[in-house]
Amino acid sequence: MKNSNKRLHDAEKEISSLKIDIHSLKTENQRLKEHAVKFQEKFKFIGQNFSEFEQNFTSASFGRVQYETTVSEKIKEFESNTSMVLYSIKTEVGNLSVKLQDLNKHTTELNMSVSKMIESKLTEYSVSVNKSVSEINHKLLSSKDFHTQMVYNLSAVENDLTSIRNMISASKTSVGFTVGVTSSSSTWSGDILVFPHVVTNNGNGYNPSTGKFTAPTDGTYVFFVTANTKFKNYLYLDIVHNGTSKVRTMSYDSTFYQTGTNMAVLQLVKGDSVWVSRNNGKSYYTEYVPITTFSGFHLTNNWLLQT
């Protein structure tokens, strides 16, 4: 195919060159004819205006005739040569046409051969693909039990991931607080004991302005209270859930310093409140590091952190 294209290209170049030569010859022929016509016109003009000198210039006239004869012969010779060149060109063009026809025929046959080869390869590939698909389907059907087991294992992994996510979420949202008072009072006899000094307040459930803890979520909570008195003052404090006292501390006036403590495990729903309330007595004692304190945490979250 590549050699045929080269031969065709060379033939086209040769035809183009021949056409240029023909054009040049035609131009030269035309120029010579025009030159001869001009000479004829000049000699005619000379013959008309200088007829009286005809006899005296017989030799010159003879020379003119001889020249015209020579020019005419040259023109005829050139035309003969031009005819031969044109004939040669026509012959070569005819040969090239035959070669081009053969080349076109060969190209057509080659295209048909390539088309058949491609079609054959596609057929073979299609058969191979169908066979592979059939084998894959067979393997998939034979591995049904394996697929079922994989689904079960993936489900178990998903459950484990859910548990881990829950544990992580619980650890990020743990609830717990420890608060206290850092200045003593020998006259306090109010209702709710407010602990303004915050040591820890994870989840922000405790309000240091009101002294109340509000449950941010349902669950089991543990609360501790420690109260200290001085100078034989006594104090009874209750851990109160939504207005109901659950446990009580007792700091009795039997000694110079008296400490009362207690703990309550309460089941709360979101929004429930717990605080420390005075039942009886007055005053409390503490230092800049709190001695009288109130603490609590969400038991469920604490268990998750331990596991």
Side-chain angles (χ1 to χ4, degrees):
M1 182 67 181
K2 184 176 181 181
N3 291 333
S4 298
N5 288 335
K6 184 175 184 306
R7 289 170 58 194
L8 178 59
H9 180 68
D10 292 342
E12 289 177 348
K13 286 179 63 179
E14 187 174 356
I15 291 172
S16 177
S17 177
L18 291 173
K19 287 182 179 180
I20 291 172
D21 291 341
I22 291 171
H23 179 73
S24 298
L25 291 173
K26 287 183 177 180
T27 302
E28 180 66 19
N29 184 33
Q30 182 65 29
R31 189 182 68 79
L32 291 174
K33 284 183 178 180
E34 291 175 356
H35 188 64
V37 170
K38 287 181 180 179
F39 271 98
Q40 288 176 354
E41 289 178 353
K42 287 181 179 180
F43 282 115
K44 184 177 180 180
F45 177 76
I46 292 170
Q48 290 176 350
N49 292 281
F50 297 97
S51 59
E52 65 272 15
F53 297 106
E54 184 176 0
Q55 293 179 355
N56 295 329
F57 295 94
T58 302
S59 58
S61 178
F62 176 78
R64 186 192 71 178
V65 172
Q66 189 176 21
Y67 176 77
E68 290 178 352
T69 301
T70 302
V71 169
S72 179
E73 289 176 355
K74 291 289 184 182
I75 291 173
K76 289 180 180 179
E77 182 180 356
F78 177 75
E79 290 179 347
S80 177
N81 291 336
T82 302
S83 298
M84 291 176 64
V85 170
L86 289 174
Y87 177 77
S88 298
I89 290 173
K90 291 179 180 179
T91 303
E92 185 65 25
V93 169
N95 293 334
L96 289 174
S97 298
V98 173
K99 291 178 181 179
L100 286 173
Q101 290 178 358
D102 292 339
L103 180 61
N104 289 333
K105 181 179 179 181
H106 179 70
T107 301
T108 302
E109 293 175 351
L110 183 61
N111 289 336
M112 292 177 63
S113 175
V114 171
S115 177
K116 289 181 180 179
M117 181 180 67
I118 292 174
E119 184 178 357
S120 175
K121 290 295 183 181
L122 286 175
T123 301
E124 293 177 3
Y125 180 73
S126 177
V127 171
S128 177
V129 169
N130 290 334
K131 182 178 179 182
S132 298
V133 170
S134 178
E135 291 176 353
I136 291 171
N137 289 333
H138 177 72
K139 291 180 180 179
L140 287 175
L141 290 174
S142 61
S143 62
K144 184 177 181 181
D145 293 339
F146 175 76
H147 177 71
T148 301
Q149 184 64 34
M150 283 294 294
V151 170
Y152 175 79
N153 293 339
L154 289 174
S155 178
V157 170
E158 182 64 26
N159 291 335
D160 291 341
L161 288 174
T162 300
S163 298
I164 293 171
R165 291 191 189 101
N166 291 336
M167 292 175 66
I168 293 173
S169 177
S171 67
K172 290 181 178 179
T173 58
S174 60
V175 178
F177 70 94
T178 293
V179 294
V181 291
T182 56
S183 60
S184 300
S185 175
S186 60
T187 60
W188 177 79
S189 59
D191 181 16
I192 298 176
L193 179 55
V194 177
F195 299 85
H197 179 75
V198 176
V199 178
T200 304
N201 192 15
N202 292 338
N204 296 317
Y206 177 78
N207 188 335
S209 297
T210 64
K212 292 184 177 182
F213 169 80
T214 302
T217 184
D218 298 353
T220 302
Y221 291 79
V222 179
F223 297 94
F224 300 86
V225 64
T226 298
N228 191 276
T229 60
K230 184 181 179 183
F231 302 128
K232 293 190 177 182
N233 290 320
Y234 69 94
L235 181 65
Y236 296 86
L237 295 178
D238 293 349
I239 295 178
V240 181
H241 174 208
N242 289 342
T244 302
S245 296
K246 297 298 182 180
V247 296
R248 180 169 297 164
T249 68
M250 184 180 72
S251 303
Y252 198 62
D253 57 355
S254 59
T255 61
F256 191 80
Y257 291 103
Q258 182 65 40
T259 301
T261 63
N262 213 331
M263 178 184 75
V265 178
L266 303 177
Q267 187 68 31
L268 306 182
V269 297
K270 183 178 179 181
D272 282 0
S273 295
V274 177
W275 63 88
V276 175
S277 180
R278 184 182 67 87
N279 175 262
N280 201 353
K282 65 176 184 177
S283 80
Y284 54 82
Y285 175 77
T286 189
E287 295 180 354
Y288 73 95
V289 176
I291 296 174
T292 298
T293 61
F294 178 38
S295 298
F297 62 86
H298 188 188
L299 183 62
T300 302
N301 280 354
N302 187 65
W303 175 80
L304 283 172
L305 290 171
Q306 294 300 322
T307 56

